Amino acid sequence: MVDLVGQLLEFEFMRNAFVAGAAVALLAGVTGYFVVLRGETYAGHTLSVVGFPGAAGAVLVGVPQLVGLVAVCAASSLGIAALGRVTWERHGQSAAIGSIQAFALGLGFLFTSLYHGLLNGVTGILFGSVLGISQAQVIGLIVIAALVLAVMALIGRPFLYLSVDPEAASSAGVPVGTISIAFLLLLGLSVAATTLITGALLVFAMLVLPAAAAQQLTTRPAAGIAISVVLGLAIVWLSLSVAFFLSDYPIGFFVTTFGLVLYLGCRGVRRLRP
Amino acid sequence: MTGPLLWLQAMLAHEFIRDAFLAGTGVALASGLSGYFLVLRNQVFAADALSHVAFTGALAALAFGLSEIGGLLAATLFVAVILSVLTTGTRSGDVVIGAVFAWILGLGVLFLSIYVSGRSGGAGANGTAGVNVLFGSIFGVSPSQALLGAGLGAGVAAGMVAIARPLLFASLDGDAAMASGVPVRWLGLVFLMLVAVVAAQAVQVVGAMLMLGLMATPAAIAQRLTMRPYAGMLLSAAAAIAAVWVGITLSFAVPHLPPSFAVIGLLFGAYVALAGAAALRRT
């Protein structure tokens, strides 16, 4: 066992990946909790799809991928905020959102075809890759995690109030608009960070599944957020380890598989409990 | 003859271009017609789900050396039946559905790596297979695939026309339709199965990731232009076909412009222009 762990941590890219995975589990666990609570999972998915041309465009013009992801995801969260939450939710599965997603994916594909070297890396951007995590990206992820968690600590309590009972919160003087926009920005940052590990198409597995599983187990927010982070950590570290030993196979498959199994398991546990 | 005409004639002299037009027209016709009802029935999500299945089905066929269109059709039809059984009360925000379809995508990537590692020295083929399934390879269709694509497209279009009237009734007012004896549930099933056929054949033309654009965007354009359903259906199909024709031509003319992006980009541009014009008129 110790031997296996030794092998896992022998290479620098794996140490980077484990630290990056921990940062992502922390980010996705905390923001994902609110995403599931507010029923905004589709917004998270759309943000990650829109991140794809950001990452591909960044490679095309020679900027770090994470920078492109953060820029595009943050800009798109502001766009969603501008459209207004009501419009957004109402159009949750409408033709407009489908069109925007398809166009974003097509744009990303255009960038990858303009930059020929990336054509093999496109599956990495879409479905995640362990080998790609550099020291600089780890530092970037830690900075993002620190920033998001600091703001989250600041707005956490009023935001929870607002998510559970918006009308009461508003009449109690909670600045609803400001906090909602701040959260969307944090969500954009978290999605950008998660994309580095899971790829643009599988963000759902890290952002939604740990939080949804946690909400099956407890209704208390603090405990739920803690469980969500721990489950996220378990999913990402387990996936990294398996992907290391079965290096022919992609990490995206393991992340989605472990996420789905954990979520269904937690649902089962709730069913069994009296 | 004038310059542009000569140029068009030179383009159409290529067999792969003629095949692309043939296959593309069939898929566009079927997508435009079925997409109109997808949007009307608020089932865009089902098409999204079917595109995930098409991605994984196509890669599974490659990985295990099965016939591509056969495996694809089987997979998408199977899921269409399941979706239409579950369909009451499914929403895009549903965590279980979202999780299962994310897992199906993950499974597709697994098949991709099985396919890649199963080929000796397949580093070159590696990226291309995945990229083709994701984003289409309309310039790579063989003459027989083009004929099959056109045939399936015409078949789906005929099916859509055949069920258009009762389906319209069922989509707009399900209760009244059921009361007057329209088999609402069966119609929903047949419709989703037609969409499944479109999803399977659209993989080659625009790819699994962009087929949502070929289905939803023409319908969204049509709904901005007319409220009348039959005119809307025709407009939606016409917009899809026009985008495919112009897209193929553009990408033949402009180097490095992928045909699937040209098609989706044209449609999206038209949609945004229409939405912008409507917003301007309102102010």
Side-chain angles (χ1 to χ4, degrees):
Chain A
M1 189 65 205
V2 177
D3 215 38
L4 284 181
V5 175
Q7 279 179 36
L8 271 177
L9 297 177
E10 190 185 335
F11 295 99
E12 197 194 331
F13 75 87
M14 280 309 284
R15 289 198 295 273
N16 283 343
F18 274 101
V19 178
V24 165
L26 198 59
L27 273 171
V30 175
T31 46
Y33 187 85
F34 289 96
V35 168
V36 173
L37 192 67
R38 294 163 64 84
E40 285 177 342
T41 57
Y42 206 71
H45 176 70
T46 307
L47 275 177
S48 67
V49 167
V50 174
F52 171 53
V59 175
L60 180 64
V61 298
V63 177
Q65 241 185 65
L66 187 58
V67 174
L69 277 170
V70 165
V72 172
C73 289
S76 316
S77 344
L78 289 180
I80 292 179
L83 282 176
R85 177 160 184 268
V86 179
T87 346
W88 173 257
E89 288 302 302
R90 191 157 46 86
H91 290 291
Q93 51 182 327
S94 78
I97 302 299
S99 305
I100 290 172
Q101 276 191 25
F103 179 70
L105 287 168
L107 200 62
F109 178 49
L110 174 70
F111 293 155
T112 58
S113 350
L114 290 176
Y115 182 91
H116 282 286
L118 187 67
L119 215 54
N120 285 329
V122 63
T123 46
I125 299 184
L126 286 172
F127 300 109
S129 137
V130 207
L131 295 163
I133 312 285
S134 69
Q135 193 94 53
Q137 283 176 335
V138 171
I139 295 170
L141 284 178
I142 292 175
V143 171
I144 292 178
L147 184 75
V148 170
L149 291 179
V151 180
M152 215 59 211
L154 218 67
I155 67 167
R157 273 189 79 85
F159 188 57
L160 192 65
Y161 190 12
L162 165 67
S163 304
V164 177
D165 192 344
E167 273 153 31
S170 158
S171 58
V174 174
V176 174
T178 318
I179 289 187
S180 301
I181 292 174
F183 176 71
L184 273 172
L185 260 179
L186 298 184
L187 176 61
L189 288 176
S190 307
V191 166
T194 310
T195 303
L196 269 191
I197 299 269
T198 63
L201 292 179
L202 303 178
V203 161
F204 196 91
M206 278 303 292
L207 188 72
V208 173
L209 291 183
Q215 289 183 12
Q216 297 288 329
L217 296 179
T218 176
T219 50
R220 284 182 303 149
I225 291 174
I227 294 177
S228 161
V229 169
V230 171
L231 290 180
L233 204 61
I235 293 173
V236 75
W237 278 5
L238 206 59
S239 307
L240 283 171
S241 311
V242 176
F244 176 76
F245 289 112
L246 300 174
S247 57
D248 274 349
Y249 301 110
I251 180 151
F253 173 67
F254 300 120
V255 172
T256 49
T257 304
F258 292 137
L260 182 65
V261 168
L262 259 179
Y263 172 67
L264 293 178
C266 289
R267 269 175 73 102
V269 167
R270 195 187 67 165
R271 286 270 166 82
L272 288 179
R273 270 200 313 221
Chain B
M1 232 188 295
T2 48
L5 274 179
L6 274 177
W7 185 84
L8 273 183
Q9 199 182 32
M11 177 179 83
L12 288 172
H14 295 281
E15 175 150 22
F16 76 94
I17 289 287
R18 289 200 302 272
D19 288 337
F21 270 101
L22 187 60
T25 308
V27 170
L29 177 67
S31 306
L33 287 177
S34 57
Y36 185 79
F37 280 98
L38 271 178
V39 172
L40 191 70
R41 295 166 62 83
N42 212 0
Q43 283 185 321
V44 172
F45 170 67
D48 199 7
L50 284 171
S51 71
H52 287 37
V53 175
F55 169 72
T56 302
L59 286 170
L62 279 176
F64 304 118
L66 308 168
S67 121
E68 193 172 330
I69 188 74
L72 258 177
L73 271 175
T76 52
L77 282 173
F78 176 67
V79 172
V81 172
I82 290 183
L83 272 178
S84 83
V85 171
L86 291 176
T87 209
T88 37
T90 39
R91 295 181 305 115
S92 58
D94 195 313
V95 172
V96 182
I97 306 269
V100 169
F101 285 105
W103 180 76
I104 288 179
L105 269 187
L107 194 65
V109 190
L110 180 72
F111 291 145
L112 175 62
S113 56
I114 289 175
Y115 174 64
V116 171
S117 58
R119 293 164 67 95
S120 50
N126 122 23
T128 337
V131 169
N132 282 348
V133 172
L134 281 168
F135 298 110
S137 55
I138 195 172
F139 287 161
V141 292
S142 67
S144 61
Q145 283 172 327
L147 265 182
L148 184 66
L152 283 175
V156 169
M160 283 308 306
V161 170
I163 64 168
R165 223 185 128 78
L167 187 63
L168 196 63
F169 191 13
S171 309
L172 293 176
D173 192 342
D175 293 335
M178 210 177 306
S180 59
V182 176
V184 173
R185 281 194 75 94
W186 286 108
L187 271 177
L189 175 67
V190 170
F191 171 64
L192 271 188
M193 290 177 81
L194 289 174
V195 173
V197 176
V198 180
Q201 60 167 168
V203 169
Q204 191 146 40
V205 174
V206 285
M209 288 302 110
L210 305 188
M211 73 173 58
L212 196 56
L214 193 59
M215 289 185 151
T217 319
I221 291 173
Q223 288 201 332
R224 288 212 160 261
L225 289 175
T226 178
M227 296 290 283
R228 287 181 302 152
Y230 293 111
M233 275 175 75
L234 282 180
L235 261 177
S236 174
I241 291 173
V244 166
W245 285 0
V246 179
I248 290 174
T249 311
L250 270 181
S251 101
F252 179 75
V254 182
H256 300 309
L257 180 68
S260 56
F261 172 72
V263 171
I264 299 303
L266 283 167
L267 283 170
F268 189 71
Y271 173 67
V272 169
L274 282 174
L280 277 181
R281 222 178 300 132
R282 233 178 287 133
T283 52

